[in-house]
Amino acid sequence: MTAKNLPFERAEYDLRLARVRNSMAEKSLDALIVSDPSNMSWLTGYDGWSFYVHQCVIVSMDGNPLCFVRAQDANGAYRTVWMPDDDVHGYDEKLVQNLPLHPMQELVGVLNGRGFAAGRIGVEMDNYWYSAQAHVELVNGLTEATLVDATGLVNWRRAIKSAREIRYMKIAGQIVTDMHRRIRERIEPGLPKNELVAEIYHAGCMGIDGHGGDYPAIVPLVASGADASAAHLTWNDQPFKSGEATSFEIAGCYKRYHCPTARTIFLGHPPQRFLEVEKAVVEGIDAALEQAKPGTQCQDLANTFCAILEKRTGIKKQSRCGYPIGISYPPDWGERTMSLRPGDQTPLQPGMTFHFIPAVWRDDWGLEITESFVVTESGAETLSNVPRELVIKE
């Protein structure tokens, strides 16, 4: 095996592990089963497209974490985690998608062998990658143990980014800036959407200034006309049309760290409603980002934006205005903790990173202008450099 090329120094992984163990101690946990691939990577460095099968990282109060993956993926773990090979367990191939056999049956044996047969074990209950059947298998196999919901325990520890993490996100911001530049240059009536999306992918993978791009956790969201009234539609092979607006929500990604940025492009002359909403949205974003200082609550940004939008346009925004971002894997680039919305009183702290997405979706049209930013000691610093405007291309 050749030397590993880890994205972070060992000291950073040690600090992350210590943060998680502090939270485990608060919940009196003996062990924690981490199934979220973003959390797995953040703790160990593991990086592979293997999250379609069961896998996890086991964290105890001492010693190294254990990376529990399909045997076929063990070599990938050996190549990417900071721990020695002895801390990787590859489970038997016969357990893969072969009910009533299940990988958690082997995990039960691993946990028993490590002394957790009667322990308090945390699991990420509300998690895309931890299935109901996985939980049933653990409950049935660990009859003397107590399974405790630890959803978000690791996610919250990821909230404040290190200097290296922010550097990676700024590189992702440079990448997405270039992706939007390519969109503005290439889009025109008659161009099939899939051809432009191919350009988006090309720019995202090529990266910037010698930094190669990674795949984002969400595919390009590209919707035109009435389809732009929906938040999460992808592209098709239909041509762009004059007289229509298209929203592009895309992200640059570098070493799994994301910088999403959305803009809307109107081909032709936009109706007055677009211009009025654009003015209100930009004003609201400016005012909200001006507030994004340490100590400000998450809800303050949303309340500020929504008040300006309603005052200027009469539109009441119902959806949240943003969420934290960072390291991530499909299907989501959010961290699934706090939200920029009324009622969330979480105070901002230096090093927190957010996608501020005060998008407007109406019955038959939509407008997206978003910014990703990091909270600094003095305020918000945006991570990309895309003109904050409705792009009009005659």
Side-chain angles (χ1 to χ4, degrees):
M1 288 284 185
T2 56
K4 300 179 182 181
N5 184 23
L6 296 171
F8 297 94
E9 301 294 333
R10 171 64 187 275
E12 183 150 346
Y13 289 111
D14 288 343
L15 179 60
R16 295 172 181 184
L17 191 57
R19 289 182 189 170
V20 169
R21 284 176 170 154
N22 286 338
S23 295
M24 290 172 61
E26 292 173 1
K27 286 181 170 288
S28 300
L29 297 179
D30 300 300
L32 175 66
I33 299 174
V34 179
S35 303
D36 184 330
S38 304
N39 292 340
M40 291 175 60
S41 183
W42 186 78
L43 281 167
T44 71
Y46 180 63
D47 182 22
W49 192 285
S50 55
F51 40 82
Y52 64 95
V53 295
H54 291 283
Q55 58 182 24
C56 63
V57 164
I58 302 169
V59 180
S60 58
M61 293 303 292
D62 52 41
N64 290 338
L66 176 72
C67 190
F68 179 86
V69 293
R70 180 183 184 180
Q72 181 173 283
D73 295 308
N75 280 346
Y78 297 150
R79 295 293 305 119
T80 56
V81 304
W82 59 262
M83 304 91 71
D85 291 357
D86 288 346
D87 293 312
V88 175
H89 180 100
Y91 63 78
D92 198 302
E93 181 68 18
K94 70 183 180 184
L95 302 175
V96 176
Q97 299 171 356
N98 191 24
L99 293 174
L101 301 179
H102 197 281
M104 294 300 105
Q105 295 164 359
E106 189 165 322
L107 182 62
V108 166
V110 171
L111 292 168
N112 285 337
R114 290 183 165 235
F116 302 122
R120 281 176 55 85
I121 302 173
V123 293
E124 297 174 316
M125 291 283 289
D126 191 16
N127 190 287
Y128 307 139
W129 304 270
Y130 183 71
S131 70
Q133 188 62 41
H135 190 70
V136 168
E137 296 293 345
L138 291 180
V139 169
N140 291 342
L142 298 168
T143 56
E144 300 300 320
T146 301
L147 297 183
V148 179
D149 184 12
T151 301
L153 186 150
V154 179
N155 303 63
W156 277 101
R157 304 287 71 75
R158 290 163 41 197
I160 298 176
K161 308 299 185 293
S162 69
R164 177 71 66 88
E165 289 179 297
I166 293 171
R167 176 173 171 264
Y168 288 166
M169 295 181 74
K170 287 182 176 180
I171 293 171
Q174 293 174 351
I175 293 173
V176 79
T177 297
D178 190 59
M179 293 162 73
H180 276 287
R181 178 188 62 80
R182 296 272 284 272
I183 291 170
R184 293 194 303 272
E185 289 176 353
R186 283 298 315 279
I187 189 171
E188 62 181 13
L191 178 69
K193 291 178 188 173
N194 59 293
E195 290 190 21
L196 185 54
V197 171
E199 290 281 344
I200 292 171
Y201 269 114
H202 182 265
C205 291
M206 288 300 294
I208 196 83
D209 296 336
H211 300 293
D214 208 340
Y215 65 89
I218 302 177
V219 302
L221 302 177
V222 180
S224 302
D227 284 350
S229 66
H232 298 119
L233 294 184
T234 59
W235 68 92
N236 53 36
D237 61 358
Q238 298 302 302
F240 294 102
K241 299 177 182 178
S242 182
E244 281 190 343
T246 301
S247 294
F248 295 86
E249 185 177 348
I250 57 177
C253 185
Y254 183 69
K255 294 188 183 296
R256 304 301 330 133
Y257 282 82
H258 288 68
C259 178
T261 305
R263 291 293 184 270
T264 299
I265 297 181
F266 199 99
L267 295 178
H269 185 70
Q272 187 63 27
R273 65 181 178 184
F274 267 92
L275 300 176
E276 292 172 354
V277 172
E278 175 211 18
K279 183 177 180 181
V281 166
V282 171
E283 180 184 346
I285 293 174
D286 291 344
L289 292 182
E290 181 66 27
Q291 279 191 300
K293 297 179 172 64
T296 300
Q297 295 180 352
C298 285
Q299 66 175 354
D300 295 335
L301 277 65
N303 290 337
T304 293
F305 174 84
C306 291
I308 290 173
L309 180 67
E310 185 173 2
K311 179 180 179 180
R312 298 285 185 264
T313 68
I315 296 173
K316 294 184 178 181
K317 182 170 172 59
Q318 302 299 321
S319 57
R320 65 179 178 172
C321 288
Y323 44 79
I325 52 173
I327 190 172
S328 204
Y329 287 81
D332 176 25
W333 55 47
E335 288 186 335
R336 299 175 296 282
T337 52
M338 63 201 102
S339 290
L340 303 180
R341 63 180 166 202
D344 192 325
Q345 299 180 9
T346 307
L348 303 186
Q349 298 180 58
M352 287 183 172
T353 49
F354 294 89
H355 183 204
F356 186 52
I357 178 168
V360 176
W361 294 293
R362 307 303 286 167
D363 290 342
D364 59 355
W365 61 279
L367 176 69
E368 288 191 56
I369 300 174
T370 78
E371 294 287 0
S372 290
F373 68 92
V374 56
V375 180
T376 72
E377 294 287 352
S378 58
E381 179 184 351
T382 55
L383 297 171
S384 63
N385 186 26
V386 183
R388 193 179 300 162
E389 62 185 6
L390 169 67
V391 180
I392 301 172
K393 191 168 184 180
E394 297 285 354

